[in-house]
Amino acid sequence: MVRITTDQYLQAYDRIKHESLEGNCIIFVAPDVDAICCCKILQSLLKQDIIQHKIVPVAGYQDLERAHTMLVEKDKQLRTIIMINCGGLVDLAEYFPDADDVTFYVIDSHRPLNLDNIVSSSNVCVFDDDSETEKMNDLIKVYEELIYDNVNDEQENDETVEDDHTTDSEDDEGPPRQRRRLNNDQDDRYHKELKLQEYYESMFHANSSSGQMYHLATQLSRANQDLLWLAMVGVTSQFIFERINTTRYMDYVNRFSDEVAIFQARDPETPTPSKKAEDAIQCEDEYRFMLFRHWSLYDSMYHSSYVASKLGVWREYGQKRLNNMFAKMGFSLQQCHQIYTHMDMDLKNILRNKIETVAPLYGLTDICFPSFSRSYGWKYSLSASDVVYALATLLETSPSAAAVLGESMAFHHDQEWDSLDDKSDDHPDDLGSERRRWWMRNFYITYDSLNSIDDIRRGIGLCMKMQKAIVRQGTSIIDKKTTRTLKTFRMVLIKDGPDLPLFQHPLTLSKLALFLTDAYREHGKRNLPFVISSLDEHHDSYLVVANSAAATFGDVKKNHFGHAFQKASMDTKARTSFDSFETSVLQIHKNDLEHFLEQLLLS
Amino acid sequence: MASLGESSYKLAKEAKRTADLLVSPYNDDLVQSISREIRMLHTKAETILRSMRDNQDVAMDNDERKSQLAQLVLHHTAIKHNKRVLFAYHRQRTDKLKELSWDVGRQGEYQREIKSALGPQEHRFLEQYGEMVATYKQSFLEIDLGGNGGVGLVPPKDLFIEVRVLKDIGEIHTEYGVLNLIKGNQYYVRRADVESLIRAGYLKHVS
């Protein structure tokens, strides 16, 4: 049982170190940007202590089960299992039975955390942060009481049966008293269960795992610029994919900018401010345009979901507005179509001021948010959000999608990459997906690219093409009015189109969903959640992703769809597969989709 | 005789140009033409010498004598120059072959290409030298003297390395325990345990 907060991270790490003397250590990593950054930070800490460990990428619960049969059961020397961004939502004892001498450490940004992990099992240690401590303690108490109540009830029931037999004379008094006691207990229990149900109902994200891992690194006094950069990338990824809200993000930013200042002060050889040191991190405000340093200003504004949705650039009217905005800022269109690095220097200098004055006139408030950027010598300068986009694209692009976009995913021309294809397509109801084959390869490409700046640039190139495709698809959806607005949510089915192979990964679909949600928020009547499904022709199944609607940018609303999906799936007995670690993603057989969606509507 | 030393100039240029390549094709034509040139110069020098010897009794002009001497010197230096170029060319090639024998050994990826680029004497040289190296290495089987794609005589920098598993291997027993190597996992383990597997291609070293 433990739910540890920041001050106890150090003890947990010491324990890991101690147990590694005799035992093995396995790290399960989920395939998303935050998890990969966290894993890298953790690895650097472990390597400095020369702790032997093993990394196993897992994409879903099936992988966890397989890993259990192949790795955990057989290894008698296993002492530590660390789970990054996976396993926080489920009871680990279910997936890893008989793992009694193994300690689990769960670092997961998904919430709500499964209380079984915290309360019942004795060898699970969940990393959490301080902000939720009170609420969690309450819930833990409630949960414990419920469990003990159940136990007590059984004992009481036995006793009451005996009482009934022995004390016949007190018959009149006995039953009413017991009944009254039972009533009170039942009320109590009902309230407690209601509370727990509320807790488990919605899914959201909390503190980033790489942020937590960086905390641990500072406690061990091993923080350096590289680790700080990884933590920044992880936190920014959460902000960009709208998983944490602005206040939380600002907390992190403040803390990280303090760290940057510390590192700069610590380094006495830093030359005068006019010369930047290699690999230096700066605090810089970032615009909400995607990748604008690597694209032309016009393209970047056109394709970023913030600007695109606010101005409505899929229509002629919107494009005119965009052009007007440039004109107001005093930028010639020709300049804006140039790649950013080739734009005139004086324009770049005044860009910031102009945007801040002109953009609010078009409804683009909050166009800047504080972020960080890193310079790699004199050649490149990347911002944290650039890196996030690049990594996310590298994770989610299948080789066929890359072919559609005109690029290849075989970065290093190693023949060995093919061997990382996962050929195991076994799944009941034939709901396996194309994704199974290349996700591990992409995981390692992303992992390796954190060391190589060139790979990140390729990722950026890929991301630009991908974003164009997403905007194309989004525009066509809006134009053709294929969205059905139902009572509680909006729905889109993507069945065909040239870009269909691109939308086979939940990440891409969520990006599209975010784009459409923003668009409809600005130009539709109501602010409703979005449910997108895309067809996997090869396997005759649909990949469904649900997005909850936030009231404004930078705000996050909890996602109720996980629960709703499960219920609808059970009610309609649809052939579904809830494999991913995100509860709002599922795969469903083609024929069952309609019923499922109808059922979803009713719930 | 177009100009003295033209072929040797060409050969020297070629040697310089191909200094970085693995092995370039043996330029038999140039070598033969240079050898022919040497022989021709040599016969010319001999005729001059004979004529000088024959005419020793007869008094000769100083000028004539000087011109004959000058011709001799010229021919002699030209021959020496050609010889030097030939030696340099062959030496460069054999050095490369020696390096290959040590580093790559008998089983290289480019064996066929290399063999087709050699002249007949070089073939023999490569074989015999390769045999010598192999017999030498036999006496030190424990030490990896390079060759066969191994690590060689460069000491490793770290005790533990990161490797990625490319093909399912299963369990291997090491001094310190058992490692279960499954495809797709990435390990941070002792270098000594996994070196042979890296060489065999089952694991990939991640830097």
Side-chain angles (χ1 to χ4, degrees):
Chain A
M1 120 47 157
V2 190
R3 179 186 158 268
I4 60 176
T5 48
T6 42
D7 39 346
Q8 291 160 311
Y9 285 175
L10 201 54
Q11 292 171 7
Y13 185 75
D14 279 338
R15 215 167 136 205
I16 295 179
K17 196 156 64 158
H18 187 73
E19 297 203 349
S20 75
L21 287 175
E22 322 125 15
N24 295 337
C25 169
I26 297 186
I27 307 181
F28 288 115
V29 186
D32 63 83
V33 180
D34 196 18
I36 295 184
C37 293
C38 173
C39 169
K40 278 238 145 155
I41 301 180
L42 179 61
Q43 272 199 298
S44 84
L45 295 177
L46 291 177
K47 279 188 206 174
Q48 281 176 336
D49 279 330
I50 314 198
I51 296 180
Q52 239 184 355
H53 58 271
K54 169 159 65 169
I55 298 189
V56 182
V58 286
Y61 294 112
Q62 248 191 337
D63 283 332
L64 277 183
E65 286 175 9
R66 207 183 325 159
H68 174 69
T69 35
M70 294 209 289
L71 289 173
V72 177
E73 265 182 342
K74 294 192 186 156
D75 195 348
K76 297 287 169 271
Q77 280 182 316
L78 188 62
R79 291 284 172 273
T80 316
I81 291 187
I82 307 182
M83 309 190 68
I84 303 187
N85 265 5
C86 51
L89 299 170
V90 295
D91 186 5
L92 286 174
E94 271 181 42
Y95 286 93
F96 297 102
D98 307 328
D100 287 327
D101 35 0
V102 180
T103 331
F104 289 83
Y105 298 88
V106 177
I107 308 166
D108 196 344
S109 62
H110 295 110
R111 293 284 179 278
L113 291 172
N114 192 309
L115 291 168
D116 274 326
N117 286 340
I118 303 180
V119 175
S120 340
S121 46
S122 57
N123 50 356
V124 176
C125 180
V126 178
F127 282 57
D128 201 351
D129 73 349
D130 301 321
S131 55
E132 305 254 308
T133 310
E134 269 188 35
K135 189 175 104 179
M136 289 301 291
N137 282 342
D138 261 348
L139 281 164
I140 292 175
K141 215 173 4 156
V142 163
Y143 191 68
E144 279 177 348
E145 283 171 9
L146 254 188
I147 297 184
Y148 289 139
D149 272 348
N150 282 337
V151 170
N152 278 346
D153 267 342
E154 288 176 10
Q155 290 179 348
E156 266 186 19
N157 279 336
D158 294 340
E159 285 174 11
T160 49
V161 164
E162 284 175 17
D163 278 344
D164 276 343
H165 284 309
T166 50
T167 58
D168 275 324
S169 50
E170 301 176 338
D171 248 2
D172 297 325
E173 288 228 305
R177 205 187 311 138
Q178 284 156 14
R179 219 179 288 131
R180 220 182 302 131
R181 199 178 351 136
L182 271 179
N183 270 341
N184 277 343
D185 284 342
Q186 273 182 1
D187 270 343
D188 254 348
R189 193 185 320 164
Y190 179 68
H191 282 307
K192 287 177 191 163
E193 287 185 354
L194 197 60
K195 212 168 175 186
L196 282 181
Q197 217 185 4
E198 258 181 52
Y199 174 66
Y200 278 124
E201 203 177 31
S202 62
M203 196 208 95
F204 60 103
H205 286 260
N207 42 309
S208 110
S209 351
S210 29
Q212 283 177 315
M213 202 44 69
Y214 184 73
H215 225 97
L216 175 60
T218 30
Q219 288 183 349
L220 288 167
S221 319
R222 288 195 210 154
N224 62 16
Q225 288 217 326
D226 290 326
L227 299 185
L228 181 60
W229 180 244
L230 286 169
M232 284 172 182
V233 171
V235 170
T236 318
S237 86
Q238 283 209 316
F239 183 63
I240 286 187
F241 292 121
E242 302 209 0
R243 291 187 181 158
I244 58 175
N245 58 16
T246 324
T247 16
R248 264 223 150 116
Y249 177 71
M250 287 308 298
D251 282 339
Y252 275 115
V253 165
N254 290 334
R255 183 147 44 101
F256 286 156
S257 39
D258 287 339
E259 298 276 334
V260 171
I262 293 178
F263 283 131
Q264 277 180 355
R266 207 189 275 176
D267 192 8
E269 303 123 44
T270 313
T272 54
S274 58
K275 281 203 281 180
K276 288 192 271 190
E278 280 235 7
D279 291 3
I281 302 182
Q282 288 110 15
C283 304
E284 213 179 279
D285 274 354
E286 175 78 9
Y287 304 115
R288 277 187 205 258
F289 326 137
M290 272 178 76
L291 304 177
F292 78 98
R293 275 186 210 84
H294 307 269
W295 227 341
S296 71
L297 194 58
Y298 188 85
D299 271 333
S300 139
M301 288 177 89
Y302 186 89
H303 293 289
S304 35
S305 61
Y306 182 73
V307 177
S309 54
K310 287 248 175 190
L311 293 180
V313 293
W314 51 86
R315 291 172 298 178
E316 277 250 0
Y317 172 65
Q319 283 174 15
K320 271 210 213 120
R321 284 185 79 191
L322 185 59
N323 294 343
N324 280 347
M325 193 163 97
F326 280 125
K328 265 220 176 101
M329 291 199 295
F331 285 47
S332 80
L333 272 185
Q334 196 201 27
Q335 283 293 322
C336 293
H337 277 285
Q338 298 250 8
I339 298 188
Y340 186 76
T341 38
H342 297 316
M343 237 167 70
D344 283 346
M345 271 311 293
D346 46 353
L347 286 182
K348 280 192 234 177
N349 289 337
I350 60 173
L351 178 66
R352 176 80 197 277
N353 290 333
K354 289 289 180 174
I355 287 217
E356 287 198 338
T357 37
V358 173
L361 299 172
Y362 288 83
L364 294 164
T365 49
D366 295 340
I367 205 160
C368 289
F369 63 94
S371 175
F372 305 94
S373 74
R374 193 172 194 191
S375 58
Y376 292 89
W378 290 104
K379 275 205 281 182
Y380 314 122
S381 161
L382 288 178
S383 78
S385 41
D386 292 342
V387 178
V388 167
Y389 283 122
L391 293 178
T393 318
L394 285 174
L395 270 177
E396 72 196 5
T397 317
S398 68
S400 47
V404 165
L405 293 172
E407 284 211 12
S408 126
M409 288 298 285
F411 278 179
H412 298 277
H413 305 288
D414 285 342
Q415 293 125 327
E416 304 141 351
W417 281 119
D418 289 333
S419 58
L420 276 179
D421 276 351
D422 188 0
K423 299 282 193 317
S424 60
D425 219 6
D426 48 354
H427 194 280
D429 304 331
D430 194 31
L431 277 176
S433 67
E434 285 290 307
R435 231 169 26 251
R436 303 289 311 157
R437 287 187 37 225
W438 42 264
W439 76 269
M440 200 184 281
R441 189 207 288 189
N442 283 15
F443 179 88
Y444 281 118
I445 290 180
T446 320
Y447 183 88
D448 288 336
S449 70
L450 277 172
N451 290 334
S452 144
I453 183 81
D454 287 317
D455 282 347
I456 294 192
R457 304 205 82 221
R458 280 171 105 152
I460 289 182
L462 204 57
C463 180
M464 296 200 272
K465 297 195 178 155
M466 179 71 97
Q467 185 69 10
K468 284 193 182 155
I470 290 181
V471 172
R472 257 201 317 264
Q473 184 79 21
T475 316
S476 83
I477 289 179
I478 297 178
D479 281 340
K480 292 190 197 152
K481 301 199 199 314
T482 38
T483 14
R484 284 157 51 181
T485 308
L486 307 165
K487 200 163 49 151
T488 39
F489 58 88
R490 288 200 175 91
M491 196 182 79
V492 165
L493 292 178
I494 305 180
K495 286 191 263 225
D496 48 23
D499 297 326
L500 189 59
L502 290 173
F503 295 106
Q504 296 302 329
H505 195 278
L507 269 179
T508 339
L509 268 188
S510 343
K511 275 195 203 162
L512 180 59
L514 280 174
F515 179 77
L516 289 170
T517 320
D518 292 340
Y520 277 104
R521 176 174 43 221
E522 298 301 318
H523 297 275
K525 304 214 181 68
R526 285 175 297 164
N527 189 17
L528 291 174
F530 229 94
V531 175
I532 289 198
S533 1
S534 93
L535 174 65
D536 182 351
E537 291 161 331
H538 191 75
H539 291 263
D540 278 343
S541 63
Y542 274 91
L543 175 66
V544 182
V545 169
N547 210 19
S548 69
T552 49
F553 274 107
D555 206 10
V556 169
K557 200 157 152 215
K558 301 190 182 178
N559 197 326
H560 298 269
F561 279 98
H563 225 67
F565 278 171
Q566 299 238 350
K567 200 154 150 302
S569 148
M570 276 197 306
D571 287 341
T572 59
K573 302 201 200 340
R575 287 163 281 183
T576 53
S577 141
F578 286 93
D579 198 38
S580 158
F581 292 121
E582 307 277 333
T583 51
S584 52
V585 171
L586 77 92
Q587 196 129 3
I588 181 174
H589 198 269
K590 176 165 76 167
N591 300 333
D592 300 328
L593 183 66
E594 282 293 326
H595 288 299
F596 176 79
L597 289 172
E598 283 171 16
Q599 193 66 28
L600 197 61
L601 185 56
L602 299 171
S603 63
Chain B
M1 179 172 47
S3 52
L4 274 179
E6 187 174 328
S7 320
S8 56
Y9 177 72
K10 279 199 208 134
L11 193 64
K13 270 298 219 203
E14 177 173 329
K16 180 164 181 191
R17 197 169 24 99
T18 59
D20 299 328
L21 298 181
L22 206 48
V23 190
S24 56
Y26 186 66
N27 201 334
D28 204 37
D29 298 333
L30 265 183
V31 170
Q32 295 288 353
S33 69
I34 297 179
S35 314
R36 233 178 296 132
E37 199 175 285
I38 295 182
R39 261 171 291 176
M40 190 193 54
L41 286 167
H42 185 73
T43 37
K44 273 218 178 129
E46 279 203 330
T47 30
I48 296 179
L49 258 185
R50 226 177 296 126
S51 76
M52 277 177 72
R53 237 178 273 130
D54 291 342
N55 297 351
Q56 250 178 16
D57 327 324
V58 179
M60 228 185 287
D61 294 350
N62 238 357
D63 286 339
E64 170 120 12
R65 196 164 176 81
K66 270 192 215 167
S67 103
Q68 283 189 326
L69 281 176
Q71 282 179 47
L72 270 180
V73 170
L74 179 66
H75 290 167
H76 187 64
T77 34
I79 292 174
K80 283 209 111 130
H81 173 82
N82 283 350
K83 260 172 89 173
R84 191 163 170 203
V85 168
L86 282 177
F87 280 153
Y89 180 71
H90 285 88
R91 170 102 193 245
Q92 188 192 55
R93 293 174 70 83
T94 48
D95 276 350
K96 279 252 183 63
L97 290 178
K98 281 192 207 168
E99 216 179 285
L100 276 176
S101 302
W102 272 106
D103 290 339
V104 179
R106 293 289 181 81
Q107 293 85 22
E109 292 169 341
Y110 304 103
Q111 274 291 321
R112 223 175 308 127
E113 291 171 26
I114 296 174
K115 286 217 171 122
S116 64
L118 302 178
Q121 301 98 337
E122 291 178 328
H123 250 128
R124 241 180 302 134
F125 173 77
L126 183 62
E127 270 179 42
Q128 289 175 346
Y129 192 78
E131 272 175 35
M132 271 201 323
V133 169
T135 11
Y136 180 70
K137 281 193 190 170
Q138 286 277 13
S139 14
F140 304 102
L141 269 181
E142 317 90 48
I143 312 178
D144 186 7
L145 289 168
N148 291 337
V151 197
L153 289 166
V154 179
K157 288 217 179 65
D158 31 25
L159 182 58
F160 279 75
I161 53 172
E162 257 194 89
V163 284
R164 203 171 284 166
V165 183
L166 298 172
K167 305 180 201 161
D168 263 328
I169 303 173
E171 294 192 357
I172 61 168
H173 289 266
T174 66
E175 266 179 73
Y176 295 90
V178 177
L179 289 179
N180 198 348
L181 298 171
I182 303 210
K183 179 161 119 167
N185 295 349
Q186 185 164 312
Y187 283 78
Y188 181 68
V189 284
R190 278 195 177 72
R191 189 182 266 274
D193 296 339
V194 294
E195 239 169 12
S196 54
L197 290 169
I198 296 180
R199 235 178 293 146
Y202 285 108
L203 302 177
K204 174 174 167 266
H205 179 37
V206 177
S207 45

